[in-house]
Amino acid sequence: MRRDKLKLLPHLFENNKKWAARIRASSPEFFSKLAAQQTPEYLWIGCSDSRVPANEIVGLLPGELFVHRNIANLVIHTDMNCLLVLQYAVDILKIKHVIVCGHYGCGGIKAAMENQPHGLVDNWLRHIRDTWRRNQAELETIPNESERNNRLCELNVLDQVINVGNTTIVQDAWRRGQSTVIHGWIYDLADGLLKDLGMCISSRDELRILQKEK
Ligand code: CO
């Protein structure tokens, strides 16, 4: 490693120093307590989009939110990364609330609906096209393209809530009586506000009902 590399991006290190000092000023024990253990109550599964910063949106500090983010907040049954985060959250941290949070104006959703190729990401976005296909009848009644895409953002959250509920991780947790609630939310980039999509499930029965309604 070249020594001068250490001088790169100095403004970020400057920001970091100020941030840590600010937190220490209001709570001197903050970092030493947090270094000992984390006890977050929530798992956030959201989009990687830089405009949707998980902790800030819900006003939570380091240690309060376990986070997994990927393009278009997808929960794919063969995605080891996402599954391992979920497993650690549920089995080890005993997190009670799993929040799947999409956002309006999601570039992943938009790209999934375009006809031109985008390369590797098209394999990932294929899942969104499947959601679109299953909801084609409803979506085609919406004439405005951005409104149609926004509705698809909501339907995508619904599918991911169902996917979380169907993982062996959550199924096993419910079977052994461990409280695990899955929430479906959407964030609006235009006003910074979250909306609960009313698809909260906490048991296999509720999952079954949600899947039937769909
Ligand atoms: Co997005």
Side-chain angles (χ1 to χ4, degrees):
M1 184 171 49
R2 278 165 44 205
R3 275 191 67 80
D4 58 357
K5 284 236 161 140
L6 297 173
K7 291 176 194 152
L8 296 178
L9 303 176
H11 57 297
L12 297 186
F13 287 90
E14 219 27 67
N15 286 352
N16 169 252
K17 257 189 224 155
K18 286 180 196 154
W19 170 79
R22 225 170 24 241
I23 291 192
R24 267 196 311 269
S26 64
S27 173
E29 307 278 286
F30 186 83
F31 291 111
S32 53
K33 270 191 198 153
L34 214 51
Q37 63 162 351
Q38 61 166 337
T39 52
E41 286 180 36
Y42 320 92
L43 166 62
W44 176 278
I45 300 175
C47 184
S48 298
D49 193 306
S50 64
R51 298 166 295 179
V52 195
N55 281 68
E56 275 143 290
I57 287 174
V58 285
L60 292 177
L61 290 166
E64 295 181 326
L65 191 65
F66 204 60
V67 174
H68 179 78
R69 289 168 70 181
N70 61 37
I71 291 177
N73 43 272
L74 297 181
V75 177
I76 309 302
H77 293 303
T78 50
D79 177 7
M80 271 300 153
N81 186 354
C82 181
L83 292 178
L84 288 170
V85 169
L86 182 65
Q87 195 218 356
Y88 193 81
V90 171
D91 291 353
I92 312 296
L93 297 171
K94 312 282 185 214
I95 272 172
K96 290 192 172 64
H97 300 276
V98 178
I99 298 158
V100 177
C101 187
H103 68 102
Y104 294 131
C106 182
I109 300 280
K110 190 169 168 287
M113 296 318 299
E114 288 167 357
N115 283 322
Q116 81 234 40
H118 304 88
L120 186 63
V121 77
D122 285 333
N123 298 285
W124 184 252
L125 299 177
R126 183 69 238 173
H127 298 281
I128 298 167
R129 287 188 79 92
D130 291 342
T131 299
W132 173 81
R133 188 168 38 78
R134 282 194 300 274
N135 296 280
Q136 194 174 356
E138 182 198 332
L139 288 163
E140 282 181 350
T141 65
I142 306 170
N144 179 287
E145 191 189 337
S146 80
E147 279 174 30
R148 196 165 54 240
N149 282 352
N150 282 348
R151 179 60 185 148
L152 185 55
C153 291
E154 295 179 351
L155 292 165
N156 178 50
V157 170
L158 172 63
D159 267 6
Q160 309 321 312
V161 165
I162 289 170
N163 286 349
V164 172
N166 277 316
T167 58
T168 52
I169 301 150
V170 170
Q171 289 278 319
D172 287 348
W174 283 341
R175 216 173 272 126
R176 62 180 180 257
Q178 183 181 330
S179 168
T180 310
V181 186
I182 310 163
H183 308 258
W185 295 358
I186 197 132
Y187 175 76
D188 196 336
L189 298 172
D191 61 13
L193 294 175
L194 280 170
K195 185 165 85 182
D196 190 328
L197 292 169
M199 51 183 72
C200 177
I201 49 170
S202 57
S203 67
R204 299 177 76 188
D205 284 343
E206 287 173 2
L207 174 62
R208 212 170 295 131
I209 293 164
L210 189 67
Q211 286 182 137
K212 254 193 220 145
E213 277 174 5
K214 203 181 155 266

PDB file of all heavy atoms in Angstrom, residues 172-202:
ATOM      1  N   ASP A 172     -39.210 -21.486  10.441  1.00  0.00           N
ATOM      2  CA  ASP A 172     -38.734 -22.192  11.647  1.00  0.00           C
ATOM      3  C   ASP A 172     -38.970 -21.350  12.901  1.00  0.00           C
ATOM      4  O   ASP A 172     -39.340 -21.878  13.949  1.00  0.00           O
ATOM      5  CB  ASP A 172     -37.236 -22.530  11.530  1.00  0.00           C
ATOM      6  CG  ASP A 172     -36.990 -23.664  10.540  1.00  0.00           C
ATOM      7  OD1 ASP A 172     -37.975 -24.317  10.133  1.00  0.00           O
ATOM      8  OD2 ASP A 172     -35.817 -23.886  10.165  1.00  0.00           O
ATOM      9  N   ALA A 173     -38.745 -20.042  12.777  1.00  0.00           N
ATOM     10  CA  ALA A 173     -38.946 -19.155  13.938  1.00  0.00           C
ATOM     11  C   ALA A 173     -40.408 -19.198  14.366  1.00  0.00           C
ATOM     12  O   ALA A 173     -40.715 -19.323  15.561  1.00  0.00           O
ATOM     13  CB  ALA A 173     -38.533 -17.729  13.583  1.00  0.00           C
ATOM     14  N   TRP A 174     -41.314 -19.105  13.413  1.00  0.00           N
ATOM     15  CA  TRP A 174     -42.746 -19.159  13.739  1.00  0.00           C
ATOM     16  C   TRP A 174     -43.113 -20.518  14.343  1.00  0.00           C
ATOM     17  O   TRP A 174     -43.866 -20.585  15.295  1.00  0.00           O
ATOM     18  CB  TRP A 174     -43.572 -18.911  12.467  1.00  0.00           C
ATOM     19  CG  TRP A 174     -43.625 -17.468  12.064  1.00  0.00           C
ATOM     20  CD1 TRP A 174     -43.351 -16.382  12.852  1.00  0.00           C
ATOM     21  CD2 TRP A 174     -43.972 -16.941  10.774  1.00  0.00           C
ATOM     22  NE1 TRP A 174     -43.508 -15.213  12.119  1.00  0.00           N
ATOM     23  CE2 TRP A 174     -43.899 -15.524  10.855  1.00  0.00           C
ATOM     24  CE3 TRP A 174     -44.344 -17.532   9.550  1.00  0.00           C
ATOM     25  CZ2 TRP A 174     -44.185 -14.697   9.756  1.00  0.00           C
ATOM     26  CZ3 TRP A 174     -44.630 -16.709   8.460  1.00  0.00           C
ATOM     27  CH2 TRP A 174     -44.548 -15.309   8.575  1.00  0.00           C
ATOM     28  N   ARG A 175     -42.528 -21.575  13.784  1.00  0.00           N
ATOM     29  CA  ARG A 175     -42.843 -22.921  14.262  1.00  0.00           C
ATOM     30  C   ARG A 175     -42.439 -23.091  15.726  1.00  0.00           C
ATOM     31  O   ARG A 175     -43.120 -23.752  16.496  1.00  0.00           O
ATOM     32  CB  ARG A 175     -42.131 -23.955  13.374  1.00  0.00           C
ATOM     33  CG  ARG A 175     -42.956 -25.214  13.163  1.00  0.00           C
ATOM     34  CD  ARG A 175     -42.318 -26.143  12.150  1.00  0.00           C
ATOM     35  NE  ARG A 175     -42.712 -25.849  10.789  1.00  0.00           N
ATOM     36  CZ  ARG A 175     -41.871 -25.617   9.779  1.00  0.00           C
ATOM     37  NH1 ARG A 175     -40.577 -25.652   9.966  1.00  0.00           N
ATOM     38  NH2 ARG A 175     -42.325 -25.351   8.579  1.00  0.00           N
ATOM     39  N   ARG A 176     -41.315 -22.482  16.118  1.00  0.00           N
ATOM     40  CA  ARG A 176     -40.896 -22.639  17.512  1.00  0.00           C
ATOM     41  C   ARG A 176     -41.471 -21.543  18.409  1.00  0.00           C
ATOM     42  O   ARG A 176     -41.095 -21.396  19.567  1.00  0.00           O
ATOM     43  CB  ARG A 176     -39.375 -22.717  17.631  1.00  0.00           C
ATOM     44  CG  ARG A 176     -38.618 -21.499  17.162  1.00  0.00           C
ATOM     45  CD  ARG A 176     -37.106 -21.663  17.321  1.00  0.00           C
ATOM     46  NE  ARG A 176     -36.429 -20.466  16.865  1.00  0.00           N
ATOM     47  CZ  ARG A 176     -35.808 -20.349  15.706  1.00  0.00           C
ATOM     48  NH1 ARG A 176     -35.746 -21.367  14.894  1.00  0.00           N
ATOM     49  NH2 ARG A 176     -35.234 -19.202  15.349  1.00  0.00           N
ATOM     50  N   GLY A 177     -42.405 -20.741  17.864  1.00  0.00           N
ATOM     51  CA  GLY A 177     -43.100 -19.740  18.675  1.00  0.00           C
ATOM     52  C   GLY A 177     -42.351 -18.453  18.897  1.00  0.00           C
ATOM     53  O   GLY A 177     -42.702 -17.660  19.776  1.00  0.00           O
ATOM     54  N   GLN A 178     -41.308 -18.231  18.094  1.00  0.00           N
ATOM     55  CA  GLN A 178     -40.541 -16.974  18.221  1.00  0.00           C
ATOM     56  C   GLN A 178     -41.252 -15.870  17.441  1.00  0.00           C
ATOM     57  O   GLN A 178     -41.526 -16.016  16.255  1.00  0.00           O
ATOM     58  CB  GLN A 178     -39.131 -17.193  17.667  1.00  0.00           C
ATOM     59  CG  GLN A 178     -38.240 -15.965  17.824  1.00  0.00           C
ATOM     60  CD  GLN A 178     -36.848 -16.213  17.240  1.00  0.00           C
ATOM     61  OE1 GLN A 178     -36.341 -17.343  17.233  1.00  0.00           O
ATOM     62  NE2 GLN A 178     -36.230 -15.169  16.736  1.00  0.00           N
ATOM     63  N   SER A 179     -41.527 -14.780  18.138  1.00  0.00           N
ATOM     64  CA  SER A 179     -42.256 -13.684  17.515  1.00  0.00           C
ATOM     65  C   SER A 179     -41.410 -13.014  16.422  1.00  0.00           C
ATOM     66  O   SER A 179     -40.337 -12.476  16.694  1.00  0.00           O
ATOM     67  CB  SER A 179     -42.640 -12.661  18.587  1.00  0.00           C
ATOM     68  OG  SER A 179     -43.100 -11.492  17.970  1.00  0.00           O
ATOM     69  N   THR A 180     -41.896 -13.061  15.207  1.00  0.00           N
ATOM     70  CA  THR A 180     -41.212 -12.420  14.076  1.00  0.00           C
ATOM     71  C   THR A 180     -42.283 -11.781  13.192  1.00  0.00           C
ATOM     72  O   THR A 180     -43.113 -12.462  12.614  1.00  0.00           O
ATOM     73  CB  THR A 180     -40.412 -13.460  13.246  1.00  0.00           C
ATOM     74  OG1 THR A 180     -39.604 -14.234  14.130  1.00  0.00           O
ATOM     75  CG2 THR A 180     -39.536 -12.787  12.213  1.00  0.00           C
ATOM     76  N   VAL A 181     -42.261 -10.460  13.136  1.00  0.00           N
ATOM     77  CA  VAL A 181     -43.271  -9.736  12.368  1.00  0.00           C
ATOM     78  C   VAL A 181     -42.605  -9.156  11.122  1.00  0.00           C
ATOM     79  O   VAL A 181     -41.542  -8.537  11.212  1.00  0.00           O
ATOM     80  CB  VAL A 181     -43.889  -8.598  13.212  1.00  0.00           C
ATOM     81  CG1 VAL A 181     -45.046  -7.946  12.465  1.00  0.00           C
ATOM     82  CG2 VAL A 181     -44.343  -9.118  14.568  1.00  0.00           C
ATOM     83  N   ILE A 182     -43.238  -9.360   9.978  1.00  0.00           N
ATOM     84  CA  ILE A 182     -42.685  -8.830   8.725  1.00  0.00           C
ATOM     85  C   ILE A 182     -43.562  -7.675   8.254  1.00  0.00           C
ATOM     86  O   ILE A 182     -44.786  -7.804   8.176  1.00  0.00           O
ATOM     87  CB  ILE A 182     -42.618  -9.924   7.634  1.00  0.00           C
ATOM     88  CG1 ILE A 182     -41.945 -11.178   8.181  1.00  0.00           C
ATOM     89  CG2 ILE A 182     -41.880  -9.417   6.402  1.00  0.00           C
ATOM     90  CD1 ILE A 182     -42.204 -12.413   7.343  1.00  0.00           C
ATOM     91  N   HIS A 183     -42.919  -6.560   7.973  1.00  0.00           N
ATOM     92  CA  HIS A 183     -43.646  -5.346   7.580  1.00  0.00           C
ATOM     93  C   HIS A 183     -43.299  -4.964   6.142  1.00  0.00           C
ATOM     94  O   HIS A 183     -42.146  -5.125   5.724  1.00  0.00           O
ATOM     95  CB  HIS A 183     -43.247  -4.163   8.478  1.00  0.00           C
ATOM     96  CG  HIS A 183     -43.362  -4.450   9.936  1.00  0.00           C
ATOM     97  ND1 HIS A 183     -44.413  -3.997  10.699  1.00  0.00           N
ATOM     98  CD2 HIS A 183     -42.570  -5.168  10.784  1.00  0.00           C
ATOM     99  CE1 HIS A 183     -44.250  -4.409  11.959  1.00  0.00           C
ATOM    100  NE2 HIS A 183     -43.143  -5.110  12.035  1.00  0.00           N
ATOM    101  N   GLY A 184     -44.262  -4.428   5.429  1.00  0.00           N
ATOM    102  CA  GLY A 184     -44.022  -3.927   4.072  1.00  0.00           C
ATOM    103  C   GLY A 184     -44.238  -2.422   4.024  1.00  0.00           C
ATOM    104  O   GLY A 184     -45.351  -1.942   4.231  1.00  0.00           O
ATOM    105  N   TRP A 185     -43.167  -1.694   3.775  1.00  0.00           N
ATOM    106  CA  TRP A 185     -43.227  -0.226   3.770  1.00  0.00           C
ATOM    107  C   TRP A 185     -42.738   0.312   2.434  1.00  0.00           C
ATOM    108  O   TRP A 185     -42.011  -0.374   1.698  1.00  0.00           O
ATOM    109  CB  TRP A 185     -42.321   0.368   4.857  1.00  0.00           C
ATOM    110  CG  TRP A 185     -42.705   0.075   6.258  1.00  0.00           C
ATOM    111  CD1 TRP A 185     -43.792  -0.639   6.704  1.00  0.00           C
ATOM    112  CD2 TRP A 185     -41.975   0.476   7.427  1.00  0.00           C
ATOM    113  NE1 TRP A 185     -43.779  -0.693   8.076  1.00  0.00           N
ATOM    114  CE2 TRP A 185     -42.681  -0.016   8.545  1.00  0.00           C
ATOM    115  CE3 TRP A 185     -40.802   1.200   7.634  1.00  0.00           C
ATOM    116  CZ2 TRP A 185     -42.247   0.196   9.848  1.00  0.00           C
ATOM    117  CZ3 TRP A 185     -40.362   1.413   8.934  1.00  0.00           C
ATOM    118  CH2 TRP A 185     -41.087   0.918  10.030  1.00  0.00           C
ATOM    119  N   ILE A 186     -43.110   1.569   2.194  1.00  0.00           N
ATOM    120  CA  ILE A 186     -42.553   2.243   1.016  1.00  0.00           C
ATOM    121  C   ILE A 186     -42.179   3.673   1.392  1.00  0.00           C
ATOM    122  O   ILE A 186     -42.854   4.301   2.221  1.00  0.00           O
ATOM    123  CB  ILE A 186     -43.519   2.172  -0.188  1.00  0.00           C
ATOM    124  CG1 ILE A 186     -42.779   2.494  -1.483  1.00  0.00           C
ATOM    125  CG2 ILE A 186     -44.745   3.073  -0.011  1.00  0.00           C
ATOM    126  CD1 ILE A 186     -43.041   1.527  -2.583  1.00  0.00           C
ATOM    127  N   TYR A 187     -41.091   4.123   0.796  1.00  0.00           N
ATOM    128  CA  TYR A 187     -40.560   5.449   1.100  1.00  0.00           C
ATOM    129  C   TYR A 187     -40.728   6.347  -0.116  1.00  0.00           C
ATOM    130  O   TYR A 187     -40.486   5.915  -1.248  1.00  0.00           O
ATOM    131  CB  TYR A 187     -39.069   5.307   1.447  1.00  0.00           C
ATOM    132  CG  TYR A 187     -38.339   6.595   1.682  1.00  0.00           C
ATOM    133  CD1 TYR A 187     -38.488   7.302   2.866  1.00  0.00           C
ATOM    134  CD2 TYR A 187     -37.472   7.105   0.711  1.00  0.00           C
ATOM    135  CE1 TYR A 187     -37.797   8.489   3.079  1.00  0.00           C
ATOM    136  CE2 TYR A 187     -36.775   8.287   0.926  1.00  0.00           C
ATOM    137  CZ  TYR A 187     -36.952   8.974   2.105  1.00  0.00           C
ATOM    138  OH  TYR A 187     -36.266  10.145   2.320  1.00  0.00           O
ATOM    139  N   ASP A 188     -41.137   7.575   0.146  1.00  0.00           N
ATOM    140  CA  ASP A 188     -41.338   8.518  -0.946  1.00  0.00           C
ATOM    141  C   ASP A 188     -40.174   9.500  -1.012  1.00  0.00           C
ATOM    142  O   ASP A 188     -39.982  10.312  -0.094  1.00  0.00           O
ATOM    143  CB  ASP A 188     -42.667   9.269  -0.740  1.00  0.00           C
ATOM    144  CG  ASP A 188     -43.113   9.974  -2.011  1.00  0.00           C
ATOM    145  OD1 ASP A 188     -42.250  10.272  -2.860  1.00  0.00           O
ATOM    146  OD2 ASP A 188     -44.333  10.224  -2.147  1.00  0.00           O
ATOM    147  N   LEU A 189     -39.390   9.404  -2.083  1.00  0.00           N
ATOM    148  CA  LEU A 189     -38.226  10.289  -2.239  1.00  0.00           C
ATOM    149  C   LEU A 189     -38.651  11.753  -2.267  1.00  0.00           C
ATOM    150  O   LEU A 189     -37.896  12.636  -1.842  1.00  0.00           O
ATOM    151  CB  LEU A 189     -37.501   9.996  -3.564  1.00  0.00           C
ATOM    152  CG  LEU A 189     -36.891   8.615  -3.770  1.00  0.00           C
ATOM    153  CD1 LEU A 189     -36.403   8.479  -5.200  1.00  0.00           C
ATOM    154  CD2 LEU A 189     -35.742   8.377  -2.798  1.00  0.00           C
ATOM    155  N   ALA A 190     -39.864  12.002  -2.736  1.00  0.00           N
ATOM    156  CA  ALA A 190     -40.317  13.376  -2.949  1.00  0.00           C
ATOM    157  C   ALA A 190     -40.598  14.133  -1.655  1.00  0.00           C
ATOM    158  O   ALA A 190     -40.452  15.356  -1.610  1.00  0.00           O
ATOM    159  CB  ALA A 190     -41.558  13.378  -3.837  1.00  0.00           C
ATOM    160  N   ASP A 191     -41.007  13.422  -0.601  1.00  0.00           N
ATOM    161  CA  ASP A 191     -41.284  14.147   0.654  1.00  0.00           C
ATOM    162  C   ASP A 191     -40.585  13.533   1.876  1.00  0.00           C
ATOM    163  O   ASP A 191     -40.757  14.017   3.004  1.00  0.00           O
ATOM    164  CB  ASP A 191     -42.803  14.273   0.898  1.00  0.00           C
ATOM    165  CG  ASP A 191     -43.498  12.929   1.022  1.00  0.00           C
ATOM    166  OD1 ASP A 191     -42.794  11.901   1.166  1.00  0.00           O
ATOM    167  OD2 ASP A 191     -44.735  12.898   0.964  1.00  0.00           O
ATOM    168  N   GLY A 192     -39.827  12.479   1.668  1.00  0.00           N
ATOM    169  CA  GLY A 192     -39.074  11.891   2.777  1.00  0.00           C
ATOM    170  C   GLY A 192     -39.921  11.093   3.753  1.00  0.00           C
ATOM    171  O   GLY A 192     -39.465  10.761   4.851  1.00  0.00           O
ATOM    172  N   LEU A 193     -41.150  10.778   3.326  1.00  0.00           N
ATOM    173  CA  LEU A 193     -42.040  10.081   4.262  1.00  0.00           C
ATOM    174  C   LEU A 193     -42.228   8.606   3.924  1.00  0.00           C
ATOM    175  O   LEU A 193     -42.260   8.201   2.760  1.00  0.00           O
ATOM    176  CB  LEU A 193     -43.407  10.780   4.291  1.00  0.00           C
ATOM    177  CG  LEU A 193     -43.394  12.206   4.864  1.00  0.00           C
ATOM    178  CD1 LEU A 193     -44.759  12.846   4.741  1.00  0.00           C
ATOM    179  CD2 LEU A 193     -42.913  12.207   6.311  1.00  0.00           C
ATOM    180  N   LEU A 194     -42.384   7.837   4.996  1.00  0.00           N
ATOM    181  CA  LEU A 194     -42.626   6.405   4.871  1.00  0.00           C
ATOM    182  C   LEU A 194     -44.123   6.132   4.893  1.00  0.00           C
ATOM    183  O   LEU A 194     -44.881   6.828   5.564  1.00  0.00           O
ATOM    184  CB  LEU A 194     -42.045   5.684   6.085  1.00  0.00           C
ATOM    185  CG  LEU A 194     -40.556   5.402   6.129  1.00  0.00           C
ATOM    186  CD1 LEU A 194     -40.193   4.912   7.525  1.00  0.00           C
ATOM    187  CD2 LEU A 194     -40.168   4.371   5.087  1.00  0.00           C
ATOM    188  N   LYS A 195     -44.518   5.072   4.175  1.00  0.00           N
ATOM    189  CA  LYS A 195     -45.921   4.654   4.235  1.00  0.00           C
ATOM    190  C   LYS A 195     -45.948   3.156   4.518  1.00  0.00           C
ATOM    191  O   LYS A 195     -45.210   2.382   3.912  1.00  0.00           O
ATOM    192  CB  LYS A 195     -46.587   4.953   2.886  1.00  0.00           C
ATOM    193  CG  LYS A 195     -48.075   4.678   2.864  1.00  0.00           C
ATOM    194  CD  LYS A 195     -48.730   5.325   1.659  1.00  0.00           C
ATOM    195  CE  LYS A 195     -48.627   4.423   0.434  1.00  0.00           C
ATOM    196  NZ  LYS A 195     -49.204   4.990  -0.786  1.00  0.00           N
ATOM    197  N   ASP A 196     -46.795   2.763   5.469  1.00  0.00           N
ATOM    198  CA  ASP A 196     -46.988   1.348   5.750  1.00  0.00           C
ATOM    199  C   ASP A 196     -47.986   0.809   4.731  1.00  0.00           C
ATOM    200  O   ASP A 196     -49.086   1.347   4.590  1.00  0.00           O
ATOM    201  CB  ASP A 196     -47.546   1.183   7.176  1.00  0.00           C
ATOM    202  CG  ASP A 196     -47.554  -0.278   7.619  1.00  0.00           C
ATOM    203  OD1 ASP A 196     -47.723  -1.159   6.753  1.00  0.00           O
ATOM    204  OD2 ASP A 196     -47.389  -0.529   8.827  1.00  0.00           O
ATOM    205  N   LEU A 197     -47.598  -0.233   4.009  1.00  0.00           N
ATOM    206  CA  LEU A 197     -48.470  -0.744   2.950  1.00  0.00           C
ATOM    207  C   LEU A 197     -49.538  -1.707   3.476  1.00  0.00           C
ATOM    208  O   LEU A 197     -50.288  -2.292   2.694  1.00  0.00           O
ATOM    209  CB  LEU A 197     -47.628  -1.406   1.850  1.00  0.00           C
ATOM    210  CG  LEU A 197     -46.762  -0.433   1.031  1.00  0.00           C
ATOM    211  CD1 LEU A 197     -45.774  -1.188   0.146  1.00  0.00           C
ATOM    212  CD2 LEU A 197     -47.630   0.482   0.189  1.00  0.00           C
ATOM    213  N   GLY A 198     -49.590  -1.877   4.788  1.00  0.00           N
ATOM    214  CA  GLY A 198     -50.661  -2.675   5.389  1.00  0.00           C
ATOM    215  C   GLY A 198     -50.589  -4.152   5.037  1.00  0.00           C
ATOM    216  O   GLY A 198     -51.620  -4.784   4.776  1.00  0.00           O
ATOM    217  N   MET A 199     -49.400  -4.688   4.977  1.00  0.00           N
ATOM    218  CA  MET A 199     -49.252  -6.103   4.644  1.00  0.00           C
ATOM    219  C   MET A 199     -48.418  -6.832   5.699  1.00  0.00           C
ATOM    220  O   MET A 199     -47.661  -7.743   5.403  1.00  0.00           O
ATOM    221  CB  MET A 199     -48.631  -6.246   3.254  1.00  0.00           C
ATOM    222  CG  MET A 199     -47.382  -5.429   3.075  1.00  0.00           C
ATOM    223  SD  MET A 199     -46.659  -5.501   1.410  1.00  0.00           S
ATOM    224  CE  MET A 199     -47.772  -4.570   0.401  1.00  0.00           C
ATOM    225  N   CYS A 200     -48.594  -6.393   6.936  1.00  0.00           N
ATOM    226  CA  CYS A 200     -47.817  -6.918   8.049  1.00  0.00           C
ATOM    227  C   CYS A 200     -48.242  -8.363   8.376  1.00  0.00           C
ATOM    228  O   CYS A 200     -49.429  -8.645   8.502  1.00  0.00           O
ATOM    229  CB  CYS A 200     -48.115  -5.968   9.210  1.00  0.00           C
ATOM    230  SG  CYS A 200     -47.376  -6.415  10.716  1.00  0.00           S
ATOM    231  N   ILE A 201     -47.287  -9.269   8.484  1.00  0.00           N
ATOM    232  CA  ILE A 201     -47.626 -10.656   8.817  1.00  0.00           C
ATOM    233  C   ILE A 201     -46.750 -11.177   9.963  1.00  0.00           C
ATOM    234  O   ILE A 201     -45.577 -10.835  10.061  1.00  0.00           O
ATOM    235  CB  ILE A 201     -47.503 -11.611   7.604  1.00  0.00           C
ATOM    236  CG1 ILE A 201     -46.162 -11.440   6.885  1.00  0.00           C
ATOM    237  CG2 ILE A 201     -48.661 -11.419   6.635  1.00  0.00           C
ATOM    238  CD1 ILE A 201     -45.893 -12.510   5.846  1.00  0.00           C
ATOM    239  N   SER A 202     -47.379 -12.008  10.804  1.00  0.00           N
ATOM    240  CA  SER A 202     -46.626 -12.521  11.957  1.00  0.00           C
ATOM    241  C   SER A 202     -46.874 -14.005  12.199  1.00  0.00           C
ATOM    242  O   SER A 202     -46.537 -14.526  13.267  1.00  0.00           O
ATOM    243  CB  SER A 202     -47.004 -11.727  13.206  1.00  0.00           C
ATOM    244  OG  SER A 202     -48.392 -11.800  13.409  1.00  0.00           O
TER     245      SER A 202
END
